[in-house]
Amino acid sequence: MENKVIINTDIEKGIINKNIYGHFAEHLGRCIYEGIWVGEDSPIPNTKGIRNDVLAALKNLNIPVLRWPGGCFADEYHWKDGIGPREDRKRMVNTHWGGVIENNHFGTHEFMLLCELLECEPYICGNVGSGTVQEMSEWVEYMTFDGESPMANWRQENGRAEPWKLKYFGVGNENWGCGGHMRPEYYADLYRRYQTYVRNYGENKIYKIAGGANVDDYRWTEVLMREAAHFMDGLSLHYYTIPGDFWKGKGAATDPREEQWFITLKKALHMEELITKHSKIMDKYDPDKRIGLVIDEWGTWFDVEPGTNPGFLYQQNTIRDALVAGLHFHIFHRHNDRVQMTNIAQTVNVLQAMVLTEGEKMILTPTYHVFEMFKVHQDATKLQVDATVGTYEFNGEQLPAVSASASRAKDGKINISLCNLNPKEGAALTLQLRGMIDQEAAVSGRILSAEESNAHNTFEQPDRVKPVAFTGATLENNQLNVELPPMSVVVLTVE
Ligand code: AHR
């Protein structure tokens, strides 16, 4: 079948919230320590302890929002252990992630500094599982109270006079699992109670995010919406793309087999069904779509790289991950009426990371490049896309061969992202720019692709997978003719 895509340049479908391009960094493995924080005395060049190379790479992504400190770690984290002189901070065991010592050197002040340097919004996840209401309440007071108060005074003693601006606050994480193994009825009540004391001080207005469902646990969403919708601004959802079985073997990150490729993309596309069904339940209680669906953990989860600490969740990142990222963004764009934020897991050295580090070295992953290429969609106006595309078949199963999304940026340029899911065959596409009146328009683009389905960057070959100029698109009479190579992600700009 021919691949025909109509970009309706005159049918606008709301804004693609830039927070869809959000991130998540947990005290897990080498994400925070080594990956972001090296300390002020490190030989690795740093800004007040935060490594400069990672900072510069992440800055280039225009990260809009960063979630911290977990994950499972959040429900064991006691923020008061992570403030004051670093040498006096309490050491604890990170029981979830490798049983290693956590020295609390990266705490609230360091995280807020990171966000300031990245110019992104902090999204802090509070501790419901093992923390008290008072502890959560005081954390918010510590960060945001302007004036005389026990916590604000303490913050000032620790070197920060002005309160920080804090918009996003999560009330616990995975409360159905590592965050307390609760039933939704119980968590809904706890959520109502804890969030009461997450106060808005002065001008600071907090967007409260309730801990949401695991994958297809629709009952969780139903109960939370029924019992607590009135008290929340966002409800989370976690879904990871795991080609195998979570407990018996997830699959290798660099597996070259087409079967693994196919199943990974198929599972990535499952996100569409999950969002549709969770949204439908949310619509019942919130028809005006005031409450955002916040997918604050998503991405690939493979077996850890052989020879690395199993608790550190370090994995390689291939062109397959790039396709997973591109497909997710297209799904999130399609649901921009409900999906207000997403946070990939995780930013550095953990799961589907942007960058990998080894000592003083750093490489960018294929996923990084997709985030960088797609940043043109951040806060852009979504354009309606009508696509009729062929299929990519494997072993009698079918997936759509091509995925497309389009938006108009504030500067008037139209950006079109395309994914060819087939690792073996190219795809020819016609894209009609319906409603466009500019006959003088020109097209340019970039492509991320590879020769092999497990192609990835290493410290020895850091640029094996990286975007290059794309010459496979021509524009004539408002129609784009595009030749997509196999397993490729392309972003075209029409201006
Ligand atoms: O991202 C790794 C872990 O996955 C998080 O800590 C947890 O929330 C989820 O189960």
Side-chain angles (χ1 to χ4, degrees):
M1 185 198 277
E2 239 186 304
N3 298 302
K4 279 193 170 175
V5 178
I6 300 171
I7 314 276
N8 296 284
T9 65
D10 54 353
I11 306 182
E12 299 183 343
K13 290 287 187 182
I15 301 293
I16 296 171
N17 195 321
K18 66 178 178 186
N19 288 341
I20 281 175
Y21 288 84
H23 284 253
F24 169 39
E26 181 169 10
H27 287 236
L28 193 179
R30 299 186 300 114
C31 182
I32 296 293
Y33 298 107
E34 285 185 48
I36 292 174
W37 177 260
V38 287
E40 286 165 309
D41 301 331
S42 170
I44 297 174
N46 65 82
T47 302
K48 296 184 180 165
I50 296 170
R51 58 187 293 170
N52 289 344
D53 51 356
V54 171
L55 199 56
L58 297 182
K59 219 164 172 250
N60 188 36
L61 296 182
N62 295 354
I63 292 181
V65 58
L66 180 60
R67 179 175 184 247
W68 173 85
C72 294
F73 183 78
D75 281 289
E76 280 200 307
Y77 182 61
H78 300 285
W79 68 271
K80 290 179 186 172
D81 298 342
I83 55 169
R86 284 193 203 105
E87 60 280 10
D88 297 342
R89 293 188 194 174
K90 195 167 171 181
R91 287 157 69 83
M92 66 183 273
V93 181
N94 190 333
T95 49
H96 275 293
W97 305 119
V100 294
I101 296 292
E102 158 69 56
N103 64 14
N104 275 306
H105 280 193
F106 190 89
T108 305
H109 290 250
E110 290 78 12
F111 173 65
M112 289 303 202
L113 170 68
L114 172 64
C115 292
E116 279 172 3
L117 293 170
L118 290 174
E119 294 177 68
C120 75
E121 297 275 356
Y123 166 14
I124 287 193
C125 185
N127 181 344
V128 172
S130 70
T132 63
V133 177
Q134 181 180 357
E135 182 181 3
M136 185 179 286
S137 173
E138 287 182 338
W139 199 4
V140 174
E141 181 190 327
Y142 185 89
M143 291 184 281
T144 64
F145 191 84
D146 192 5
E148 169 96 26
S149 89
M151 294 300 120
N153 293 354
W154 198 13
R155 182 191 71 233
Q156 289 177 11
E157 282 163 30
N158 287 328
R160 172 79 188 193
E162 297 298 310
W164 289 286
K165 178 175 168 278
L166 174 69
K167 183 162 178 190
Y168 300 104
F169 194 88
V171 181
N173 168 73
E174 295 196 351
N175 309 89
W176 40 263
C178 63
H181 291 112
M182 302 175 200
R183 294 172 304 111
E185 291 81 0
Y186 181 66
Y187 172 69
D189 280 347
L190 275 192
Y191 173 77
R192 291 168 61 120
R193 178 169 166 232
Y194 273 68
Q195 68 77 35
T196 305
Y197 305 94
V198 173
R199 304 280 190 204
N200 291 324
Y201 293 113
E203 298 292 293
N204 194 70
K205 171 92 179 68
I206 291 187
Y207 179 106
K208 297 175 188 173
I209 300 168
N214 182 28
V215 191
D216 57 358
D217 184 354
Y218 300 114
R219 201 176 91 77
W220 185 279
T221 298
E222 177 80 40
V223 174
L224 262 289
M225 289 301 292
R226 192 183 67 218
E227 304 298 337
H230 178 61
F231 303 98
M232 65 175 83
D233 301 295
L235 179 62
S236 77
L237 168 66
H238 288 182
Y239 172 61
Y240 284 94
T241 297
I242 304 168
D245 179 277
F246 188 86
W247 301 109
K248 294 188 194 136
K250 302 175 188 73
T254 53
D255 194 318
R257 289 173 297 166
E258 187 173 355
E259 183 197 6
Q260 293 296 297
W261 173 278
F262 186 91
I263 194 160
T264 303
L265 298 196
K266 181 178 156 189
K267 289 197 169 182
L269 290 171
H270 184 52
M271 181 62 97
E272 179 100 50
E273 179 182 327
L274 295 173
I275 295 176
T276 304
K277 291 188 173 168
H278 284 289
S279 297
K280 200 163 167 219
I281 297 166
M282 294 176 79
D283 287 349
K284 199 163 95 184
Y285 298 95
D286 176 35
D288 298 336
K289 299 185 192 288
R290 179 187 65 80
I291 300 171
L293 185 58
V294 174
I295 303 164
D296 51 18
E297 289 188 29
W298 68 272
T300 56
W301 194 328
F302 300 114
D303 295 329
V304 298
E305 277 303 295
T308 64
N309 186 327
F312 280 15
L313 309 188
Y314 177 79
Q315 64 190 39
Q316 249 300 351
N317 194 293
T318 71
I319 186 72
R320 178 168 50 142
D321 293 79
L323 265 297
V324 168
L327 293 177
H328 272 80
F329 288 137
H330 287 180
I331 295 168
F332 298 151
H333 293 178
R334 276 199 283 281
H335 294 272
N336 68 332
D337 57 340
R338 182 62 86 179
V339 178
Q340 290 182 8
M341 186 199 295
T342 88
N343 310 76
I344 191 165
Q346 298 192 3
T347 309
V348 187
N349 287 335
V350 169
L351 299 177
Q352 192 174 349
M354 304 302 112
V355 301
L356 304 176
T357 67
E358 200 177 82
E360 78 289 357
K361 290 188 251 166
M362 179 198 78
I363 54 172
L364 309 178
T365 66
T367 299
Y368 175 94
H369 294 306
V370 175
F371 271 75
E372 192 275 320
M373 290 164 74
F374 277 48
K375 68 184 178 187
V376 289
H377 286 308
Q378 289 190 19
D379 272 349
T381 301
K382 187 176 82 172
L383 300 175
Q384 182 173 310
V385 172
D386 300 314
T388 315
V389 299
T391 53
Y392 158 39
E393 280 190 34
F394 181 78
N395 262 352
E397 277 196 89
Q398 299 182 335
L399 297 178
V402 172
S403 168
S405 188
S407 67
R408 183 184 285 110
K410 293 200 179 90
D411 58 10
K413 294 177 187 170
I414 293 176
N415 293 296
I416 303 161
S417 42
L418 303 165
C419 300
N420 179 6
L421 285 71
N422 195 317
K424 295 206 164 127
E425 287 175 23
L429 269 94
T430 59
L431 290 113
Q432 192 198 338
L433 298 168
R434 210 196 57 75
M436 201 173 88
I437 42 173
D438 181 5
Q439 295 294 338
E440 302 293 306
V443 64
S444 59
R446 285 195 300 158
I447 179 169
L448 187 73
S449 186
E451 297 293 317
E452 288 156 4
S453 67
N454 65 352
H456 56 277
N457 297 330
T458 62
F459 294 94
E460 293 71 41
Q461 280 189 293
D463 290 326
R464 202 169 154 217
V465 187
K466 69 167 189 187
V468 293
F470 181 61
T471 52
T474 53
L475 177 61
E476 212 178 320
N477 296 329
N478 290 350
Q479 180 172 302
L480 281 163
N481 293 310
V482 182
E483 294 284 340
L484 288 179
M487 48 183 163
S488 57
V489 179
V490 165
V491 175
L492 300 174
T493 301
V494 177
E495 56 186 304

